[in-house]
Amino acid sequence: MHKTAASPESLHAALAGGVFYRCDKSGLRLISGSEELADFLGVDPADLSENLGAVLGKDSPNVYAEVFESASDDSASFTIPYMHPRFGKRWFSIRRSPVPEVDKGFLAFLRDETVLHESMVKVAAAQSRDVENSARLQAAVLMEGQRLQIPDLDYHTATIPSKLVDGDFLDVLRLSGNSVDFLLGDVMGKGMDAAILGAMIKFSFARALSISLFGAEDLPDPSRICHNANAAVASRLFERQSFATLTYARFEATRKILKFVDCGHTSIVHYSRRTGECWRVKGGNMPLGFMKAQTYRSFMLPIDPGDCLLMYTDGLSECCNRWDEAFGEERVAYLLRTYADLPAPDLTGTILRLGFAYSAAGFNDDVSLVCVKYNGETPATSFDRSLNLTLKPAGFSAFEKVENLLGDDLDAWTPGLGIETRSEILLAMHEALTNILEHGLGGKDGPCEIRWRYLEGLLSIEFTYSGPDYDWASRPVSPLSSFADSGYGRLIMDKAMDSLLLAQGFYAKKRLVMCRCLDIAASMEANA
């Protein structure tokens, strides 16, 4: 029979509404409804009575057989292909339900779903192209950074795209011989739109670096770079009702610190080889695009030989197992501590594999990692002291001991520092101990390890203790003009130190880190 092209009107008239019929339990023999079904299928009614299976299942016999073989006592719905004599290739949905009378076969309903099926195919194809294009964009632009050979620094970056490519982006830059910059971020949303926003943000950081470096004698601070990048993209993100979390971090080999800006991103996990502890480190800025303007602040984290740093996107910490339990930041920290001896590429691969195995259905979001290991040695020019003491509310003898030791070390390590700077540092030390005793230890006796280090003009002071969750560093500063009852300790520490952060460890452990850059030459000139 010659097949003629069908108009939309004739298709609608012939196939609209669907058709009911009854068949035996095998689906091979028609019991009733032959005329209506024959009109629907475009065949002679005589061809259906004993050959129903051959007619409906001719293009996909296995699928048609499955309609009647599976769960015969339950209702079920399937989609089968059918070559219509007049209208060409069609897609029918067939829903069958058992007839109440015993051994009376099935009542089936056949409906033309070609338009819906073809629409779904087009959507799937479009999504596939979107994923493919996004993946190419992500591999070529978003996840590409400089591959650097850096003495004493072992680093590795890795990413696993999800089923729908999202807006993860990263970069690795070497702006000087003594430092390496790392950028890792995540745009809210999925697909090509998020990938384009990620590329735009990454480009804005490259442009911000160019602006900041032009005519500058020193490297621009990460806070300055983030400020310039936010100025370029914040309004666009704001208009699209989107935002991006990110970490911009700089490892400085000379001073052995990580200087970073955290814009609402997941914690940096820091493994300390010296103590065997893992710490989750956070900054204090909002994501890019959350507001049109904000003041960025850099934080400093001292690094020792053997230390390891892990930055990652929330696709890892937020992946869930079959009980809907998130992987979590603490599990990431446990893995870093457990496998910290591995080289950076093996370490990132191990964490990714274990995270993927934990997830019930694989990663539902992009997962990106930056692992940095410092394998250098302690420089001969560094000065370091640590001591353990017990803080007690009843007396301040421990305070006096610490202040005397720190004062003596400042005099020995930094001659010409100046009485004003020296007094500010000692006062910040006193206020830190007071806050730890009152809030960190809840006003009870407790041990506290204190360590201070001086290297290449940077003084760092670390306090390690165990106590309840109380982030006193996030409490508002009390200005002198208000004569408040409390809050001046925070004000004093903020004014005396360049960086102040609180890190979370395991088993209620906390670590307060204060850093200050000391310009000895300027102090000596001012005191001359």
Side-chain angles (χ1 to χ4, degrees):
M1 179 175 16
H2 180 68
K3 184 169 65 177
T4 59
S7 67
E9 292 78 9
S10 61
L11 279 175
H12 180 76
L15 303 176
V19 61
F20 284 98
Y21 64 92
R22 270 181 58 190
C23 62
D24 66 358
K25 285 198 170 183
S26 69
L28 301 177
R29 185 173 64 86
L30 184 67
I31 297 176
S32 64
S34 60
E35 291 186 5
E36 294 84 356
L37 182 60
D39 287 342
F40 189 85
L41 297 177
V43 298
D44 192 304
D47 296 336
L48 288 178
S49 58
E50 299 297 332
N51 300 302
L52 178 63
V55 174
L56 277 177
K58 63 180 178 180
D59 294 302
S60 186
N62 292 334
V63 175
Y64 183 76
E66 186 181 353
V67 174
F68 298 94
E69 288 176 357
S70 60
S72 60
D73 292 333
D74 299 323
S75 298
S77 181
F78 297 81
T79 299
I80 60 172
Y82 179 73
M83 183 60 69
H84 198 283
R86 290 179 57 200
F87 306 132
K89 184 65 172 289
R90 313 301 296 171
W91 290 91
F92 293 157
S93 69
I94 178 171
R95 183 171 182 82
R96 56 111 179 109
S97 299
V99 178
E101 293 86 352
V102 179
D103 295 329
K104 294 298 182 180
F106 287 107
L107 177 66
F109 179 68
L110 202 63
R111 181 182 179 89
D112 187 280
E113 300 283 4
T114 304
V115 174
L116 176 62
H117 178 82
E118 291 178 348
S119 298
M120 292 175 63
V121 170
K122 290 178 181 178
V123 170
Q127 289 178 335
S128 178
R129 288 193 298 271
D130 184 43
V131 170
E132 184 180 349
N133 292 336
S134 297
R136 283 201 297 264
L137 173 64
Q138 189 173 38
V141 179
L142 297 180
M143 309 310 295
E144 185 65 25
Q146 295 182 26
R147 304 305 306 173
L148 306 172
Q149 297 296 325
I150 305 168
D152 300 330
L153 196 67
D154 178 20
Y155 85 90
H156 187 71
T157 65
T159 185
I160 295 182
S162 63
K163 297 172 185 177
L164 288 177
V165 176
D166 302 333
D168 283 12
F169 56 93
L170 68 82
D171 207 351
V172 183
L173 302 163
R174 191 169 193 178
L175 304 180
S176 75
N178 296 317
S179 68
V180 184
D181 287 18
F182 299 94
L183 170 66
L184 179 65
D186 183 9
V187 177
M188 183 191 73
K190 298 180 181 294
M192 180 60 84
D193 191 54
I196 291 173
L197 287 175
M200 180 182 69
I201 294 171
K202 184 174 176 180
F203 174 77
S204 74
F205 270 88
R207 188 169 182 271
L209 275 171
S210 299
I211 295 172
S212 302
L213 286 169
F214 183 76
E217 295 182 1
D218 299 318
L219 283 183
D221 191 85
S223 61
R224 183 63 185 170
I225 297 170
C226 289
H227 172 82
N228 289 339
N230 184 68
V233 301
S235 59
R236 298 184 187 180
L237 291 170
F238 207 75
E239 290 170 0
R240 296 194 184 199
Q241 297 183 333
S242 184
F243 61 86
T245 66
L246 63 91
T247 297
Y248 190 99
R250 174 178 298 156
F251 176 75
E252 297 185 15
T254 303
R255 299 192 295 177
K256 305 296 182 291
I257 63 164
L258 187 78
K259 196 170 189 179
F260 69 95
V261 176
D262 168 28
C263 297
H265 202 59
T266 52
S267 301
I268 298 174
V269 184
H270 173 212
Y271 170 73
S272 171
R273 169 67 65 188
R274 185 180 70 90
T275 64
E277 297 284 347
C278 244
W279 304 96
R280 288 166 284 163
V281 182
K282 290 287 294 177
N285 280 106
M286 302 297 289
L288 259 67
F290 221 72
M291 55 186 67
K292 291 186 177 180
Q294 61 175 311
T295 301
Y296 290 91
R297 183 171 181 182
S298 297
F299 294 86
M300 288 182 276
L301 182 68
I303 304 298
D304 290 311
D307 283 9
C308 184
L309 298 157
L310 184 70
M311 292 168 274
Y312 60 96
T313 55
D314 60 11
L316 176 63
S317 56
E318 293 182 1
C319 73
C320 294
N321 60 16
R322 58 177 177 168
W323 295 283
D324 204 32
E325 298 169 339
F327 198 66
E329 287 191 342
E330 189 167 287
R331 194 173 273 108
V332 175
Y334 270 115
L335 290 179
L336 181 63
R337 186 175 69 174
T338 302
Y339 297 102
D341 289 335
L342 294 176
D346 296 337
L347 178 55
T348 55
T350 299
I351 293 175
L352 285 173
R353 286 194 299 272
L354 292 174
F356 190 85
Y358 178 88
S359 178
F363 295 129
N364 293 320
D365 196 356
D366 282 4
V367 176
S368 303
L369 304 179
V370 176
C371 180
V372 182
K373 299 187 69 176
Y374 175 58
N375 298 322
E377 299 180 353
T378 302
T381 55
S382 68
F383 302 95
D384 198 321
R385 183 193 292 274
S386 60
L387 62 152
N388 293 285
L389 53 109
T390 300
L391 301 182
K392 297 181 178 181
F396 294 93
S397 58
F399 287 35
E400 295 176 4
K401 176 183 177 181
V402 173
E403 290 172 14
N404 289 335
L405 283 173
L406 177 57
D408 292 343
D409 285 344
L410 288 175
D411 294 339
W413 299 349
T414 59
L417 178 62
I419 188 63
E420 183 177 343
T421 303
R422 182 182 186 277
S423 299
E424 289 174 353
I425 294 171
L426 292 177
L427 185 56
M429 162 77 82
H430 181 92
E431 292 300 329
L433 288 172
T434 301
N435 275 276
I436 291 171
L437 179 59
E438 181 179 351
H439 303 300
L441 299 176
K444 301 178 181 179
D445 293 4
C448 179
E449 181 195 19
I450 306 176
R451 179 199 184 197
W452 51 85
R453 186 187 78 175
Y454 178 72
L455 175 63
E456 297 293 336
L458 179 73
L459 175 70
S460 62
I461 308 175
E462 305 171 38
F463 307 82
T464 304
Y465 62 93
S466 295
D469 289 334
Y470 182 85
D471 187 2
W472 52 265
S474 68
R475 292 180 63 83
V477 173
S478 298
L480 294 175
S481 58
S482 67
F483 298 103
D485 294 331
S486 62
Y488 297 116
R490 163 86 186 279
L491 174 65
I492 291 169
M493 287 184 284
D494 276 342
K495 295 296 184 183
M497 310 304 289
D498 296 316
S499 172
L500 181 71
L501 64 86
L502 186 69
Q504 299 278 342
F506 297 120
Y507 310 114
K509 279 198 171 182
K510 311 290 187 300
R511 183 170 66 147
L512 171 66
V513 183
M514 304 192 305
C515 295
R516 176 158 175 170
C517 300
L518 302 178
D519 191 341
I520 307 300
S523 296
M524 293 179 65
E525 184 177 334
N527 294 323

